[in-house]
Amino acid sequence: MTIQNLNIKDKKLKIHNKEFNSRLMLGTGKFKTLFDMQDSIKFSQTEIVTVAIRRLNSEQLLKKSNLITSLDWNKLWLLPNTAGAKTAEEAIRLACLGRELTKKIGQKENNFVKLEVISDPKYLLPDPIGTIKAAKFLVQKGFCVLPYICPDPMLAKHLEDIGCATVMPFGSPIGSGQGIQNILNLKIIIENSKIPVIIDAGIATASEAAFAMELGADGVLVNTAIAQSQKPKQMAIAMQLGVQGGRFSYLSGRIPSTKFANASSPVQGTKFLYL
């Protein structure tokens, strides 16, 4: 069941010049088996799958069954990511390799790259200076840049001004499962942004995915919460439903929060029957 099936008026998720029905993106790391990954992608109904270029060495690509050959790229859009890059220069090199890969799988117009520059080994916090440096170069080279960032409203605005296609602030640090933490900053980013805002990292449950969408985010990216769950396929379905539920709620318009109770049944103008 999708928004389109229910005839609920909503725009498709548009990133650069590409439109998507699903607002859930999936990562491909940490799955116990290749089959778990395939099933999770299928049942999540995602259309965007992100792959770490650093993980795809030449030997892996020559294998009959690998991460790339096991997926149907006629139905999925590859989002190469620069995970593992500690500097802007490393990220740029990986982005170029990623663009080459998109052409090899037949997506000739795919210039997407999820930009990650992470020099902090303990908390895996993205480097804002390295991210801006790499983003500026890649945008000039014709890449559609989706930068992974801390929930910093000013950084998000600078990246938008540079020409990035989205901003991807984290809910909480990668793989931490802490959920949506810096709510105020995320709200500011969403309010000020003229490009899609994708909440990336930290989400552990379907309710947290729903909450991210209720804030007004344009989508979420989930990996560890599905890959490391006891039942990945089932969790993938839950995330898909959570994202749709959160989007439905956001589009419906929540009631305002009040200090005092407000009776749902009217008192004035009613007649009571006393026995």
Side-chain angles (χ1 to χ4, degrees):
M1 185 178 294
T2 65
I3 291 177
Q4 287 72 27
N5 296 147
L6 295 173
N7 293 321
I8 294 176
K9 292 183 179 180
D10 186 22
K11 297 177 181 178
K12 292 184 178 182
L13 172 61
K14 187 173 183 180
I15 300 176
H16 192 48
N17 58 359
K18 182 76 175 175
E19 292 185 338
F20 303 94
N21 291 310
S22 175
R23 293 176 179 272
L24 172 63
M25 305 179 184
L26 253 62
T28 53
K30 297 185 178 180
F31 282 95
K32 299 177 182 70
T33 70
L34 196 61
F35 297 111
D36 282 342
M37 182 197 71
Q38 290 172 306
D39 283 345
S40 296
I41 289 171
K42 176 183 176 181
F43 285 94
S44 72
Q45 299 182 21
T46 187
E47 294 172 286
I48 302 177
V49 174
T50 185
V51 175
I53 300 305
R54 187 178 286 274
R55 292 169 54 204
L56 299 175
N57 58 47
S58 57
E59 291 182 2
Q60 288 177 319
L61 291 175
L62 290 173
K63 292 179 180 179
K64 290 184 179 179
S65 181
N66 61 58
L67 191 149
I68 294 298
T69 59
S70 65
L71 298 175
D72 185 354
W73 297 110
N74 292 314
K75 298 178 180 178
L76 298 170
W77 190 251
L78 176 61
L79 175 59
N81 72 62
T82 64
K86 296 180 180 179
T87 65
E89 291 72 22
E90 286 183 42
I92 290 167
R93 181 178 63 83
L94 288 171
C96 292
L97 292 173
R99 184 152 68 174
E100 288 179 15
L101 179 60
T102 62
K103 307 303 178 275
K104 288 180 180 178
I105 63 172
Q107 297 182 359
K108 295 183 179 181
E109 297 180 357
N110 187 348
N111 295 309
F112 280 42
V113 61
K114 183 185 176 215
L115 176 60
E116 297 183 30
V117 182
I118 300 174
S119 55
D120 167 33
K122 184 175 182 180
Y123 296 103
L124 301 179
L125 300 176
D127 177 356
I129 297 174
T131 300
I132 283 186
K133 182 178 178 182
K136 187 178 295 186
F137 179 88
L138 292 170
V139 167
Q140 291 173 351
K141 293 298 180 181
F143 281 86
C144 174
V145 182
L146 292 73
Y148 171 65
I149 62 171
C150 293
D152 180 338
M154 291 310 301
L155 174 61
K157 202 62 186 173
H158 285 312
L159 288 165
E160 180 182 326
D161 292 341
I162 286 171
C164 289
T166 73
V167 286
M168 304 182 76
F170 63 61
S172 53
I174 295 174
S176 68
Q178 296 177 25
I180 311 298
Q181 292 293 316
N182 202 329
I183 298 171
L184 178 59
N185 276 22
L186 289 172
K187 283 183 175 180
I188 294 172
I189 292 172
I190 292 167
E191 181 183 346
N192 290 339
S193 182
K194 295 179 182 178
I195 55 177
V197 178
I198 311 296
I199 306 298
D200 177 12
I203 289 173
T205 64
S207 62
E208 291 166 0
F211 180 62
M213 297 303 294
E214 287 176 340
L215 290 177
D218 296 279
V220 299
L221 193 153
V222 180
N223 187 181
T224 306
I226 294 175
Q228 294 292 294
S229 65
Q230 295 181 21
K231 297 179 180 179
K233 180 173 71 174
Q234 191 165 302
M235 183 62 83
I237 295 171
M239 289 295 179
Q240 184 258 342
L241 294 172
V243 168
Q244 285 202 1
R247 183 66 178 174
F248 283 13
S249 177
Y250 174 73
L251 292 174
S252 300
R254 63 157 291 158
I255 62 171
S257 176
T258 62
K259 184 177 181 181
F260 301 103
N262 187 3
S264 57
S265 298
V267 177
Q268 293 182 346
T270 60
K271 295 181 179 180
F272 296 94
L273 178 62
Y274 296 94
L275 297 178

